[in-house]
Amino acid sequence: MAAKVSNFSDLIQRVASSCLLHPLANARQDDQNVEDDEEEQDYEYNSEEEEEEEKRDGGVEIVREREVVSVERVIELETIMSEVFEAFSAMKKAYVSLQEAHCPWDPERMRVADVAIVGEMRRVGVLRERWFRRRRIGDGGCGGGGGRGMVREVVAPYEAAVEDLKKEVKAREVEVENLKEKLKNVTNNLGSSRRGRSFSKRKVNCNSQAPQVIAAPAPDLFEATISLVKDASKSFTSLLLSLMRAAHWDIAAAVRSIEAASANSPETITTITSSVVATNHAKYALESYISRKIFQGFDHETFYMDGSLSSLINPDQYRRDCFTQYRDMKAMDPVELLGILPTCHFGKFCSKKYLAIVHPKMEESLFGDLEQHRQVLAGNHPRSQFYGEFLGLAKAIWLLHLLAFSLDPAPCQFEASRRAEFHPQYMESVVKFSGGKPPPGQIVGFPVSPGFKLGNGTVIKARVYLVSRT
C-alpha cells in the first residue's frame, strides 16, 4: 500500500512539474523576442539619425562650395569688365592722337596711333571671348557638347572668312590665267604682223630694230630715247596740223594763241597782237604747245597722278623697278597693251594727257563729234588713227620718264624762256639757218621742247624757235 502511494505521488509530481515548466519556457521566449525587437528598433532609429546627420553635413559642404565658386566667378567677371573699360579708354586716347596727327600732317604719329587702335580692338575682342566663355561655364555649359558648341560658335566666323578668301583667290587666279593667255596671243599676233609688214617712219615703234638685251640704264640710252620722242612729237604734230587745215582752222590765230599761252607774264600776253612765227613755221608753235602739255609733271614719279613717294622712300629699289618696266614695255605695242589693261598707270597717263592736249571744242571741230573724248573719259582707248598716233608719242614720253628715274643721278630738266639769249651749248634751233649757225642778234621766240643735263655731264639741248631781236 505504501508502494502504490509512493508511485502515485511521483506521477503527480512529474505532471505538476511538466505543467509548471512549459508556461515558464514560453514566457521566457516571449521576453527574449521583445528584447530583440527593442534592440532592432533602437538600431534603426540610430541609423536614420546618422543618415540625416550625414545629409545635413553634405548639404552644408555643397552650399559652401557653391558660394566659393560664385564669389570667384564674380571676381573674375569684375576683372574682365575693368579690363574692358581700360581698353576702351586707351582706344579713345589713341583715336584722339590719330585725329591730332592729321593737322599738322604727321605720318609717323598717325602710324603709331593706328597700331595702338588696332591693338586695343584686338584686346577687346579677346576680353569678349573670355566673357562669353565664363558665362557658359557658369551656366553649366562647359562639359561635352556645350564646349564643342562654344568652339564652333567662336570658329565659325573665321571659317566663313577663310572660305571667302579662298573663293577670291580662285577668282584672281582665273583672271590672271586669262590675262596671261590674252598677252600670249597678243605677243604672237604682234610677232607675225611684224614679220609680214614694214612700219611707216611716222609710226613710233621702239621695237622696229632687232631686240637687244639691255643690261643697265645708261646716258646713251637716254639720248636714243630722246630721239624717239622728237620723231614721235613731229609725227603727231604733222597729223594734228593737217586735220586743223582740213577743218579750215585759222592757223595764224591758233599760233598767236599758243604764243600767248607760252608767255611768262601778263604784260607779254597783252602785247602779242601779231605772230612772230612765219606762215610755214606754224608746226613749231603747235609742237611747242603739245610738248608743254605732255612734259608737264615729268619731274614727278607719276606725273602727279597720285601722291606716291616711292622714289624717295626706297630710291634704289624704285630705280630697279623703273628700268624693269622700261625693258618690258619697250617691246610692246601701246594699242594692244591698252586693249588688255586700259586702266594701268600708262593708260591713266594717256587719258590725262589726251584730255589736256585735245580740248573738246578742238575734237568736235576736227571730227564732228566727241566720241573719242567720251571713250577716254569712260576709261577706254579709241582705236582711231589719230589716237593711235597720240599713243606713239605717249609711249615715247613714258619710256623716257621711266629711263630718267632709272638713272642715278637722275637727269636735270631745263627749258629756255621767251626772249632769252641764245646759248648754243644749251639750245638748238628748230629752224635750220644757212651756214649751220644762227645769225647774230637772235633770241628765243618760244621754247619747243625741254633739254636735259645728265649725270655724266652730257647736255641734251633744248629745242627753241629763234626770232630776231628787232
Side-chain angles (χ1 to χ4, degrees):
M1 188 64 181
K4 289 182 181 179
V5 171
S6 177
N7 290 337
F8 184 73
S9 297
D10 291 336
L11 180 60
I12 293 173
Q13 185 177 2
R14 284 197 298 272
V15 172
S17 298
S18 178
C19 291
L20 291 173
L21 285 174
H22 285 293
L24 289 173
N26 291 335
R28 204 179 291 117
Q29 186 175 357
D30 293 338
D31 292 340
Q32 184 67 34
N33 291 338
V34 171
E35 289 177 1
D36 292 341
D37 292 339
E38 289 178 356
E39 289 179 0
E40 289 178 1
Q41 290 177 359
D42 291 339
Y43 176 76
E44 291 177 358
Y45 179 75
N46 292 334
S47 298
E48 290 176 358
E49 287 184 349
E50 290 176 358
E51 288 179 0
E52 290 179 0
E53 199 170 321
E54 288 177 358
K55 288 180 180 179
R56 284 197 300 273
D57 294 340
V60 172
E61 291 177 359
I62 291 171
V63 171
R64 288 175 181 173
E65 289 178 359
R66 289 178 178 174
E67 289 178 354
V68 171
V69 171
S70 300
V71 171
E72 291 178 351
R73 182 187 173 199
V74 169
I75 293 174
E76 183 172 1
L77 294 180
E78 288 179 350
T79 304
I80 293 175
M81 288 304 301
S82 64
E83 292 180 4
V84 169
F85 284 118
E86 290 176 2
F88 274 105
S89 178
M91 184 163 44
K92 183 178 179 181
K93 292 179 180 178
Y95 183 74
V96 172
S97 300
L98 181 64
Q99 293 289 337
E100 293 175 348
H102 281 77
C103 186
W105 185 264
D106 190 344
E108 181 61 24
R109 189 178 175 189
M110 289 175 62
R111 187 187 65 80
V112 173
D114 182 66
V115 171
I117 291 174
V118 173
E120 294 302 329
M121 291 178 70
R122 289 176 177 171
R123 182 183 172 193
V124 170
V126 172
L127 293 173
R128 175 181 176 275
E129 296 301 327
R130 282 180 56 191
W131 172 269
F132 283 112
R133 187 161 55 249
R134 291 305 305 165
R135 284 188 59 185
R136 292 189 183 93
I137 292 174
D139 295 339
C142 59
R148 287 191 296 272
M150 181 184 67
V151 172
R152 281 196 300 270
E153 184 177 348
V154 173
V155 173
Y158 298 99
E159 289 180 343
V162 169
E163 291 299 324
D164 292 340
L165 290 175
K166 286 181 178 179
K167 293 178 181 178
E168 185 176 353
V169 168
K170 289 181 180 179
R172 294 291 183 183
E173 289 177 350
V174 172
E175 184 178 357
V176 168
E177 291 301 326
N178 292 336
L179 290 175
K180 285 182 179 179
E181 188 66 26
K182 288 183 179 179
L183 187 58
K184 183 179 178 181
N185 294 335
V186 168
T187 305
N188 294 336
N189 293 335
L190 286 175
S192 59
S193 63
R194 287 194 184 99
R195 288 191 297 269
R197 61 184 174 89
S198 60
F199 286 91
S200 171
K201 291 182 179 180
R202 291 173 58 189
K203 197 74 174 177
V204 176
N205 186 358
C206 298
N207 196 36
S208 58
Q209 299 177 354
Q212 300 177 356
V213 178
I214 305 171
D220 294 343
L221 188 60
F222 190 84
E223 292 183 58
T225 309
I226 280 284
S227 298
L228 292 175
V229 171
K230 287 182 183 178
D231 294 339
S233 180
K234 291 178 181 178
S235 177
F236 180 67
T237 301
S238 298
L239 177 60
L240 181 58
L241 186 60
S242 64
L243 290 173
M244 293 169 66
R245 285 171 175 161
H248 307 290
W249 273 49
D250 186 348
I251 304 299
V255 169
R256 286 196 300 271
S257 176
I258 292 171
E259 288 183 88
S262 65
N264 295 327
S265 64
E267 292 81 3
T268 308
I269 295 176
T270 56
T271 57
I272 294 178
T273 57
S274 62
S275 175
V276 298
V277 181
T279 305
N280 59 336
H281 292 166
K283 61 182 179 181
Y284 299 126
L286 186 58
E287 186 179 353
S288 171
Y289 163 77
I290 294 170
S291 178
R292 185 173 68 253
K293 292 291 186 180
I294 205 161
F295 270 101
Q296 188 174 7
F298 189 88
D299 58 326
H300 189 263
E301 61 188 62
T302 63
F303 285 90
Y304 295 101
M305 290 187 292
D306 57 39
S308 176
L309 296 174
S310 302
S311 59
L312 301 178
I313 298 172
N314 193 350
D316 293 336
Q317 183 62 42
Y318 187 75
R319 279 192 289 269
R320 289 192 294 269
D321 293 343
C322 283
F323 191 62
T324 300
Q325 293 178 41
Y326 170 84
R327 288 187 300 182
D328 292 342
M329 189 174 178
K330 192 172 186 295
M332 292 184 181
D333 183 359
V335 177
E336 299 297 337
L337 173 63
L338 296 180
I340 300 172
L341 300 171
T343 58
C344 63
H345 287 298
F346 175 63
K348 293 178 181 178
F349 166 76
C350 293
S351 300
K352 178 182 177 181
K353 293 303 180 181
Y354 179 84
L355 296 176
I357 294 172
V358 184
H359 192 272
K361 290 183 179 180
M362 176 190 289
E363 181 179 318
E364 188 175 11
S365 67
L366 296 178
F367 305 106
D369 55 32
L370 294 173
E371 181 60 28
Q372 296 184 92
H373 195 83
R374 282 193 291 268
Q375 289 188 41
V376 173
L377 286 176
N380 300 318
H381 300 275
R383 291 293 185 112
S384 64
Q385 179 193 2
F386 179 73
Y387 195 79
E389 199 74 41
F390 165 76
L391 288 182
L393 173 60
K395 178 186 174 181
I397 294 291
W398 189 259
L399 289 175
L400 185 70
H401 182 262
L402 290 174
L403 199 54
F405 278 86
S406 302
L407 293 171
D408 185 21
C412 179
Q413 180 182 351
F414 64 91
E415 185 179 77
S417 58
R418 282 179 60 91
R419 307 191 67 79
E421 294 289 338
F422 176 71
H423 296 280
Q425 65 269 34
Y426 294 106
M427 301 179 192
E428 174 189 6
S429 174
V430 293
V431 178
K432 303 304 178 184
F433 294 93
S434 59
K437 294 178 62 177
Q442 296 291 310
I443 60 174
V444 177
F446 54 83
V448 177
S449 63
F452 296 89
K453 185 175 182 179
L454 306 183
N456 63 351
T458 303
V459 175
I460 299 174
K461 298 178 182 180
R463 299 168 66 228
V464 296
Y465 183 83
L466 297 179
V467 296
S468 176
R469 187 187 299 274
T470 58

